[in-house]
């Protein structure tokens, strides 16, 4: 079993986009991101190139990306892009990796990006043909369950990934968008995916809606997944998926990995300090547990 796990922090996108009670100043975003990176995080989803009308919090995407690219060339920075225009903006900002998103559920794909599967596939092919040098790490949303269609099946997911594989995609992020997965489902899913596509890199993104985020993320790691997406403080929740409340908290998951003997390269105490800074600066829906511990406990 691979004992190194890459913990990919996606709070600057999935966490910040969930905030509707205030516009987060760009300076505040960068302050929190700097604290995250200071803890040793080396892979970070810094923003999303979406329409400001759809998600106003992401209107400073270019500034965020360019600032971080200039200051932190050693960090693997990437952004979510819902369409060709978003990918083009990401390339113009200087990013080398993007995450287009296509939902396994037809209904959620229509609700999230306003496209059928066929339209999303065509848009993805256009991105790949226009920017062949761009690294694609594709998000498969609602991979385990959908708020509109219910539970998704493993054969349906394997077949769906196969269609994207045929387009040339070799890196997938499998997302539990509304937090309905459970360990047996996680295990069956990744065993099937890895058996069917041994040359593909799979990562995972688990929402903590039902307090299963850490359990399911660890199960994925035990199946051989070496990259897990989490958000600082567990902030977030998909705005286009009813019931998706909160993500797996980065500082909680790093704590668990440390004690299970996995290597992350992240200082959990510094990460926890970053999470507490975020709670202080931004009111939101946090699912994290360590952020509520205010007394230092010796030996822990």
């Amino acid at each position: 079993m691979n004992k190194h796990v890459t913990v990919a922090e996606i709070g600057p996108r999935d966490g910040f986009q969930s905030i509707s009670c205030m516009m987060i100043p760009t300076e505040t975003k960068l302050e929190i991101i700097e604290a995250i990176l200071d803890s040793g995080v080396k892979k970070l989803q810094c923003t999303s190139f979406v329409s400001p009308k759809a998600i106003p919090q992401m209107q400073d995407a270019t500034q965020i990306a360019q600032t971080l690219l200039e200051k932190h060339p050693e960090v693997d920075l990437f952004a979510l892009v819902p369409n060709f225009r978003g990918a083009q903006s990401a390339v113009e900002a200087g990013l080398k990796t993007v995450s287009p998103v296509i939902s396994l559920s037809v209904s959620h794909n229509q609700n999230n990006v306003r496209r059928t599967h066929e339209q999303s596939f065509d848009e993805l092919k256009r991105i790949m043909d226009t920017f062949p040098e761009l690294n694609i790490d594709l998000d498969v949303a609602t991979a385990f369950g959908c708020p509109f269609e219910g539970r998704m099946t493993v054969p349906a997911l394997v077949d769906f990934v196969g269609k994207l594989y045929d387009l040339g995609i070799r890196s997938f992020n499998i997302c539990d968008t509304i937090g309905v997965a459970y360990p047996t489902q996680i295990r069956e899913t990744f065993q099937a995916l890895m058996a069917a596509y041994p040359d593909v890199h799979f990562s995972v993104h688990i929402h903590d809606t039902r307090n299963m985020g850490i359990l399911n993320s660890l199960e994925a790691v035990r199946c051989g997944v070496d990259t897990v997406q989490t958000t600082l403080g567990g902030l977030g929740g998909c705005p286009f998926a009813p019931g998706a409340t909160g993500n797996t908290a980065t500082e909680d998951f790093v704590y668990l990995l440390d004690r299970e003997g996995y290597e992350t390269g992240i200082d959990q105490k510094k990460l926890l300090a970053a999470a507490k800074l975020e709670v202080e600066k931004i009111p939101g829906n946090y699912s994290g547990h360590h952020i509520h511990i205010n007394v230092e406990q010796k030996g822990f």
Side-chain angles (χ1 to χ4, degrees):
M1 182 183 294
N2 187 352
K3 295 301 285 185
H4 179 82
V5 177
T6 297
V7 178
E9 172 61 50
I10 66 166
R13 190 276 302 177
D14 204 12
F16 293 166
Q17 77 174 15
S18 71
I19 303 301
S20 59
C21 62
M22 63 176 283
M23 285 301 298
I24 308 171
T26 302
E27 294 74 18
T28 300
K29 292 180 181 180
L30 290 171
E31 180 184 6
I32 293 168
I33 291 170
E34 287 294 339
I36 292 169
L37 297 180
D38 183 60
S39 75
V41 168
K42 293 299 183 185
K43 187 176 181 67
L44 181 133
Q45 188 175 62
C46 57
T47 190
S48 177
F49 288 88
V50 295
S51 167
K53 292 181 180 179
I55 304 182
Q57 290 289 5
M58 299 291 105
Q59 62 186 350
D60 56 0
T62 296
Q63 182 180 352
I64 291 287
Q66 290 181 338
T67 299
L68 293 174
L69 283 166
E70 181 178 356
K71 192 170 182 180
H72 296 283
E74 78 286 357
V75 176
D76 183 2
L77 298 167
F78 64 109
L80 183 143
V81 297
N83 50 35
F84 178 86
R85 184 174 179 180
Q88 185 176 39
S89 296
V91 169
E92 291 172 351
L95 289 170
K96 305 298 182 185
T97 302
V98 297
S99 291
V101 55
I102 305 177
S103 305
L104 176 58
S105 156
V106 175
S107 301
H108 186 264
N109 201 64
Q110 187 69 48
N111 195 61
N112 190 36
V113 295
R114 309 300 182 198
R115 286 182 176 82
T116 65
H117 278 165
E118 291 73 19
Q119 290 169 330
S120 285
F121 280 36
D122 289 344
E123 190 86 344
L124 176 61
K125 191 173 187 307
R126 184 185 176 199
I127 292 171
M128 297 171 69
D129 289 344
T130 306
F131 308 109
E133 74 287 354
L134 195 57
N135 297 318
I136 303 291
D137 184 18
L138 190 117
D139 283 359
V140 180
T142 62
F144 302 95
C146 168
F148 311 112
E149 298 180 18
R151 182 178 175 181
M152 300 287 103
T153 69
V154 174
L157 177 60
V158 171
D159 180 66
F160 188 72
V161 168
K163 294 175 182 177
L164 292 158
Y165 182 95
D166 291 342
L167 289 180
I169 302 298
R170 294 295 182 271
S171 184
F172 293 86
N173 180 42
I174 307 301
C175 306
D176 184 14
T177 308
I178 57 172
V180 294
Y182 49 91
T184 299
Q185 187 183 19
I186 294 286
R187 186 165 55 254
E188 292 174 350
T189 294
F190 283 104
Q191 286 176 346
L193 287 173
M194 290 175 173
Y197 310 105
D199 58 333
V200 164
H201 180 262
F202 290 105
S203 56
V204 70
H205 172 102
I206 307 288
H207 280 242
D208 197 41
T209 311
R210 291 163 178 80
N211 197 31
M212 301 283 275
I214 281 186
L215 183 61
N216 287 331
S217 296
L218 182 62
E219 186 65 32
V221 168
R222 287 173 170 167
C223 289
V225 173
D226 64 3
T227 304
V228 179
Q229 294 189 355
T230 54
T231 70
L232 193 70
L235 180 64
C238 178
F240 304 105
T245 54
N247 289 285
T248 302
T250 310
E251 66 280 2
D252 291 356
F253 190 53
V254 169
Y255 178 91
L256 174 62
L257 290 175
D258 285 349
R259 278 141 189 82
E260 286 292 304
Y262 292 95
E263 299 172 0
T264 65
I266 298 172
D267 184 320
Q268 196 269 344
K269 289 186 177 180
K270 286 187 176 182
L271 192 63
L272 178 55
K276 290 187 175 184
L277 172 66
E278 183 179 53
V279 171
E280 176 188 327
K281 297 279 187 176
I282 302 172
N285 179 29
Y286 293 91
S287 69
H289 294 273
H290 281 79
I291 54 176
H292 301 297
I293 300 174
N294 296 315
V295 177
E296 186 169 341
Q297 296 163 316
K298 189 174 180 180
F300 297 95

